[in-house]
mmCIF file of all heavy atoms in Angstrom:
data_model
loop_
_atom_site.group_PDB
_atom_site.id
_atom_site.type_symbol
_atom_site.label_atom_id
_atom_site.label_comp_id
_atom_site.label_asym_id
_atom_site.label_seq_id
_atom_site.Cartn_x
_atom_site.Cartn_y
_atom_site.Cartn_z
ATOM 1 N N ASP P 1198 95.943 98.622 153.689
ATOM 2 C CA ASP P 1198 97.127 98.396 152.873
ATOM 3 C C ASP P 1198 96.695 97.972 151.471
ATOM 4 O O ASP P 1198 95.778 97.183 151.297
ATOM 5 C CB ASP P 1198 98.000 97.292 153.481
ATOM 6 C CG ASP P 1198 98.659 97.767 154.772
ATOM 7 O OD1 ASP P 1198 98.762 98.989 154.938
ATOM 8 O OD2 ASP P 1198 99.049 96.908 155.582
ATOM 9 N N ASN P 1199 97.391 98.539 150.487
ATOM 10 C CA ASN P 1199 97.022 98.212 149.122
ATOM 11 C C ASN P 1199 97.289 96.735 148.833
ATOM 12 O O ASN P 1199 98.222 96.131 149.321
ATOM 13 C CB ASN P 1199 97.803 99.092 148.138
ATOM 14 C CG ASN P 1199 99.287 99.076 148.394
ATOM 15 O OD1 ASN P 1199 99.720 99.381 149.491
ATOM 16 N ND2 ASN P 1199 100.066 98.720 147.388
ATOM 17 N N GLU P 1200 96.394 96.189 148.021
ATOM 18 C CA GLU P 1200 96.518 94.803 147.619
ATOM 19 C C GLU P 1200 96.760 94.749 146.116
ATOM 20 O O GLU P 1200 96.191 95.507 145.360
ATOM 21 C CB GLU P 1200 95.243 94.029 147.964
ATOM 22 C CG GLU P 1200 94.949 94.004 149.461
ATOM 23 C CD GLU P 1200 93.643 93.293 149.765
ATOM 24 O OE1 GLU P 1200 93.007 92.820 148.807
ATOM 25 O OE2 GLU P 1200 93.290 93.221 150.948
ATOM 26 N N HIS P 1201 97.621 93.831 145.703
ATOM 27 C CA HIS P 1201 97.939 93.697 144.292
ATOM 28 C C HIS P 1201 97.151 92.531 143.717
ATOM 29 O O HIS P 1201 97.101 91.452 144.290
ATOM 30 C CB HIS P 1201 99.444 93.433 144.116
ATOM 31 C CG HIS P 1201 100.286 94.573 144.584
ATOM 32 N ND1 HIS P 1201 100.795 95.519 143.739
ATOM 33 C CD2 HIS P 1201 100.693 94.932 145.839
ATOM 34 C CE1 HIS P 1201 101.505 96.400 144.425
ATOM 35 N NE2 HIS P 1201 101.447 96.062 145.702
ATOM 36 N N PHE P 1202 96.505 92.755 142.606
ATOM 37 C CA PHE P 1202 95.847 91.663 141.923
ATOM 38 C C PHE P 1202 95.756 91.994 140.450
ATOM 39 O O PHE P 1202 95.947 93.123 140.030
ATOM 40 C CB PHE P 1202 94.465 91.372 142.514
ATOM 41 C CG PHE P 1202 93.511 92.538 142.490
ATOM 42 C CD1 PHE P 1202 92.692 92.740 141.406
ATOM 43 C CD2 PHE P 1202 93.443 93.422 143.571
ATOM 44 C CE1 PHE P 1202 91.800 93.795 141.382
ATOM 45 C CE2 PHE P 1202 92.565 94.479 143.552
ATOM 46 C CZ PHE P 1202 91.739 94.664 142.455
ATOM 47 N N THR P 1203 95.457 91.005 139.653
ATOM 48 C CA THR P 1203 95.442 91.168 138.211
ATOM 49 C C THR P 1203 94.147 91.837 137.765
ATOM 50 O O THR P 1203 93.089 91.584 138.320
ATOM 51 C CB THR P 1203 95.558 89.794 137.531
ATOM 52 O OG1 THR P 1203 96.716 89.142 138.031
ATOM 53 C CG2 THR P 1203 95.664 89.935 136.015
ATOM 54 N N LEU P 1204 94.251 92.702 136.768
ATOM 55 C CA LEU P 1204 93.055 93.329 136.210
ATOM 56 C C LEU P 1204 92.084 92.266 135.714
ATOM 57 O O LEU P 1204 92.500 91.240 135.170
ATOM 58 C CB LEU P 1204 93.446 94.222 135.023
ATOM 59 C CG LEU P 1204 93.898 95.642 135.323
ATOM 60 C CD1 LEU P 1204 94.429 96.285 134.061
ATOM 61 C CD2 LEU P 1204 92.747 96.461 135.863
ATOM 62 N N PRO P 1205 90.784 92.463 135.903
ATOM 63 C CA PRO P 1205 89.813 91.516 135.380
ATOM 64 C C PRO P 1205 89.982 91.365 133.865
ATOM 65 O O PRO P 1205 90.249 92.342 133.158
ATOM 66 C CB PRO P 1205 88.472 92.163 135.716
ATOM 67 C CG PRO P 1205 88.766 93.102 136.830
ATOM 68 C CD PRO P 1205 90.159 93.584 136.615
ATOM 69 N N LYS P 1206 89.821 90.166 133.381
ATOM 70 C CA LYS P 1206 89.938 89.913 131.953
ATOM 71 C C LYS P 1206 88.693 90.410 131.243
ATOM 72 O O LYS P 1206 87.581 90.072 131.607
ATOM 73 C CB LYS P 1206 90.130 88.418 131.697
ATOM 74 C CG LYS P 1206 90.358 88.087 130.233
ATOM 75 C CD LYS P 1206 90.584 86.608 130.030
ATOM 76 C CE LYS P 1206 90.809 86.291 128.555
ATOM 77 N NZ LYS P 1206 91.027 84.839 128.349
ATOM 78 N N PHE P 1207 88.901 91.206 130.226
ATOM 79 C CA PHE P 1207 87.777 91.725 129.466
ATOM 80 C C PHE P 1207 87.164 90.609 128.619
ATOM 81 O O PHE P 1207 87.870 89.738 128.114
ATOM 82 C CB PHE P 1207 88.215 92.878 128.557
ATOM 83 C CG PHE P 1207 88.449 94.163 129.295
ATOM 84 C CD1 PHE P 1207 89.515 94.311 130.165
ATOM 85 C CD2 PHE P 1207 87.596 95.236 129.123
ATOM 86 C CE1 PHE P 1207 89.730 95.489 130.848
ATOM 87 C CE2 PHE P 1207 87.797 96.430 129.798
ATOM 88 C CZ PHE P 1207 88.865 96.552 130.660
ATOM 89 N N LEU P 1208 85.862 90.669 128.463
ATOM 90 C CA LEU P 1208 85.159 89.689 127.645
ATOM 91 C C LEU P 1208 85.041 90.240 126.232
ATOM 92 O O LEU P 1208 84.556 91.360 126.036
ATOM 93 C CB LEU P 1208 83.788 89.396 128.241
ATOM 94 C CG LEU P 1208 82.988 88.240 127.637
ATOM 95 C CD1 LEU P 1208 82.061 87.639 128.680
ATOM 96 C CD2 LEU P 1208 82.162 88.705 126.432
ATOM 97 N N ASP P 1209 85.472 89.467 125.261
ATOM 98 C CA ASP P 1209 85.404 89.885 123.865
ATOM 99 C C ASP P 1209 84.085 89.454 123.241
ATOM 100 O O ASP P 1209 83.760 88.255 123.212
ATOM 101 C CB ASP P 1209 86.553 89.277 123.060
ATOM 102 C CG ASP P 1209 87.894 89.910 123.403
ATOM 103 O OD1 ASP P 1209 87.891 91.015 123.974
ATOM 104 O OD2 ASP P 1209 88.935 89.294 123.107
ATOM 105 N N VAL P 1210 83.323 90.434 122.768
ATOM 106 C CA VAL P 1210 82.075 90.152 122.056
ATOM 107 C C VAL P 1210 82.341 90.371 120.571
ATOM 108 O O VAL P 1210 82.775 91.449 120.157
ATOM 109 C CB VAL P 1210 80.936 91.082 122.527
ATOM 110 C CG1 VAL P 1210 79.677 90.839 121.713
ATOM 111 C CG2 VAL P 1210 80.669 90.864 124.007
ATOM 112 N N HIS P 1211 82.109 89.329 119.788
ATOM 113 C CA HIS P 1211 82.362 89.414 118.351
ATOM 114 C C HIS P 1211 81.161 90.033 117.652
ATOM 115 O O HIS P 1211 80.017 89.594 117.815
ATOM 116 C CB HIS P 1211 82.659 88.023 117.787
ATOM 117 C CG HIS P 1211 83.875 87.391 118.395
ATOM 118 N ND1 HIS P 1211 85.158 87.717 118.010
ATOM 119 C CD2 HIS P 1211 83.995 86.469 119.395
ATOM 120 C CE1 HIS P 1211 86.022 87.025 118.730
ATOM 121 N NE2 HIS P 1211 85.351 86.262 119.580
ATOM 122 N N LEU P 1212 81.421 91.070 116.876
ATOM 123 C CA LEU P 1212 80.364 91.784 116.179
ATOM 124 C C LEU P 1212 80.117 91.163 114.817
ATOM 125 O O LEU P 1212 80.836 90.257 114.382
ATOM 126 C CB LEU P 1212 80.735 93.262 116.054
ATOM 127 C CG LEU P 1212 81.130 93.948 117.377
ATOM 128 C CD1 LEU P 1212 81.419 95.416 117.147
ATOM 129 C CD2 LEU P 1212 80.036 93.775 118.420
ATOM 130 N N SER P 1213 79.091 91.656 114.141
ATOM 131 C CA SER P 1213 78.734 91.093 112.841
ATOM 132 C C SER P 1213 79.886 91.217 111.861
ATOM 133 O O SER P 1213 80.086 90.354 111.006
ATOM 134 C CB SER P 1213 77.488 91.791 112.293
ATOM 135 O OG SER P 1213 77.686 93.194 112.231
ATOM 136 N N ASN P 1214 80.644 92.298 111.999
ATOM 137 C CA ASN P 1214 81.876 92.422 111.229
ATOM 138 C C ASN P 1214 82.948 91.609 111.943
ATOM 139 O O ASN P 1214 83.388 91.950 113.030
ATOM 140 C CB ASN P 1214 82.290 93.898 111.135
ATOM 141 C CG ASN P 1214 83.527 94.093 110.263
ATOM 142 O OD1 ASN P 1214 84.316 93.163 110.060
ATOM 143 N ND2 ASN P 1214 83.699 95.299 109.759
ATOM 144 N N ALA P 1215 83.361 90.508 111.337
ATOM 145 C CA ALA P 1215 84.237 89.546 112.011
ATOM 146 C C ALA P 1215 85.552 90.156 112.462
ATOM 147 O O ALA P 1215 86.217 89.627 113.357
ATOM 148 C CB ALA P 1215 84.509 88.360 111.094
ATOM 149 N N SER P 1216 85.925 91.274 111.863
ATOM 150 C CA SER P 1216 87.209 91.885 112.220
ATOM 151 C C SER P 1216 87.112 92.768 113.458
ATOM 152 O O SER P 1216 88.117 93.279 113.933
ATOM 153 C CB SER P 1216 87.745 92.717 111.051
ATOM 154 O OG SER P 1216 86.848 93.800 110.780
ATOM 155 N N GLN P 1217 85.906 92.947 113.978
ATOM 156 C CA GLN P 1217 85.705 93.835 115.111
ATOM 157 C C GLN P 1217 85.234 93.065 116.341
ATOM 158 O O GLN P 1217 84.473 92.104 116.232
ATOM 159 C CB GLN P 1217 84.679 94.923 114.779
ATOM 160 C CG GLN P 1217 85.145 95.915 113.719
ATOM 161 C CD GLN P 1217 84.124 97.005 113.487
ATOM 162 O OE1 GLN P 1217 82.929 96.792 113.662
ATOM 163 N NE2 GLN P 1217 84.585 98.180 113.116
ATOM 164 N N THR P 1218 85.722 93.493 117.489
ATOM 165 C CA THR P 1218 85.241 92.945 118.759
ATOM 166 C C THR P 1218 84.955 94.095 119.712
ATOM 167 O O THR P 1218 85.552 95.171 119.616
ATOM 168 C CB THR P 1218 86.285 92.009 119.401
ATOM 169 O OG1 THR P 1218 87.494 92.741 119.630
ATOM 170 C CG2 THR P 1218 86.561 90.798 118.522
ATOM 171 N N LEU P 1219 84.035 93.853 120.616
ATOM 172 C CA LEU P 1219 83.708 94.817 121.662
ATOM 173 C C LEU P 1219 84.206 94.242 122.980
ATOM 174 O O LEU P 1219 83.787 93.155 123.385
ATOM 175 C CB LEU P 1219 82.200 95.044 121.719
ATOM 176 C CG LEU P 1219 81.682 96.023 122.778
ATOM 177 C CD1 LEU P 1219 82.187 97.433 122.483
ATOM 178 C CD2 LEU P 1219 80.156 96.003 122.820
ATOM 179 N N LYS P 1220 85.132 94.931 123.628
ATOM 180 C CA LYS P 1220 85.701 94.456 124.881
ATOM 181 C C LYS P 1220 84.902 95.017 126.048
ATOM 182 O O LYS P 1220 84.776 96.231 126.186
ATOM 183 C CB LYS P 1220 87.171 94.873 124.985
ATOM 184 C CG LYS P 1220 88.068 94.216 123.932
ATOM 185 C CD LYS P 1220 89.532 94.594 124.144
ATOM 186 C CE LYS P 1220 90.421 93.888 123.142
ATOM 187 N NZ LYS P 1220 90.406 92.416 123.312
#
Side-chain angles (χ1 to χ4, degrees):
D1198 290 339
N1199 51 304
E1200 298 177 1
H1201 296 262
F1202 58 90
T1203 305
L1204 275 172
K1206 184 178 180 180
F1207 284 69
L1208 189 152
D1209 288 342
V1210 176
H1211 299 281
L1212 308 182
S1213 55
N1214 184 338
S1216 63
Q1217 293 183 331
T1218 59
L1219 179 65
K1220 295 184 177 296

